[in-house]
Each structure stands twice: as structure tokens, then as C-alpha cells.
Amino acid sequence: MDHRLLEIIACPVCHGKLNYDKENFELICKLDHLAFPVRDGILVLLENEARALPAEEEK
């Protein structure tokens, strides 16, 4: 994931910072406890496509 892209994209729910999880190919919003998928290199920033993060999974 290009770090320049991570600097300009934001969570579609709270507009906060997203962090890239390389292991799971997801963008993580710590404020909303959501993980947005990256499918075939395409960021899927739709709230209904995100999965809720359990507290023990958050980094």
C-alpha cells in the first residue's frame, strides 16, 4: 500500500485516519472499530462492507 495514499484517504464513517493491515489486506479505523477490505488491490470503503473489529483484534 502506498503510504502517500494512506495519507489522503479517510474513514468514510468518521473521516479519521486509516491504518493498513498487511496480513489481512484491510484498512483499519481504530475510532470506529471497523476493518475495510482491500480486494484485488481495490479499497472498498463502504460501511456495509466493513467488518466490526473485536476488542482483542485491534492493533
Side-chain angles (χ1 to χ4, degrees):
M1 177 74 49
D2 186 351
H3 68 84
R4 292 175 294 174
L5 179 60
L6 285 175
E7 291 176 9
I8 60 172
I9 60 171
C11 173
V13 178
C14 71
H15 308 290
K17 181 175 172 56
L18 294 171
N19 297 302
Y20 184 56
D21 178 356
K22 293 179 186 179
E23 292 178 14
N24 297 315
F25 301 105
E26 294 176 324
L27 292 169
I28 307 296
C29 177
K30 291 182 181 182
L31 296 174
D32 293 317
H33 310 286
L34 293 173
F36 296 92
V38 178
R39 296 186 186 130
D40 297 322
I42 298 170
L43 310 176
V44 182
L45 297 176
L46 300 171
E47 186 176 2
N48 64 339
E49 291 288 326
R51 70 178 179 89
L53 289 175
E56 63 274 0
E57 188 177 337
E58 292 185 34
K59 298 175 186 175

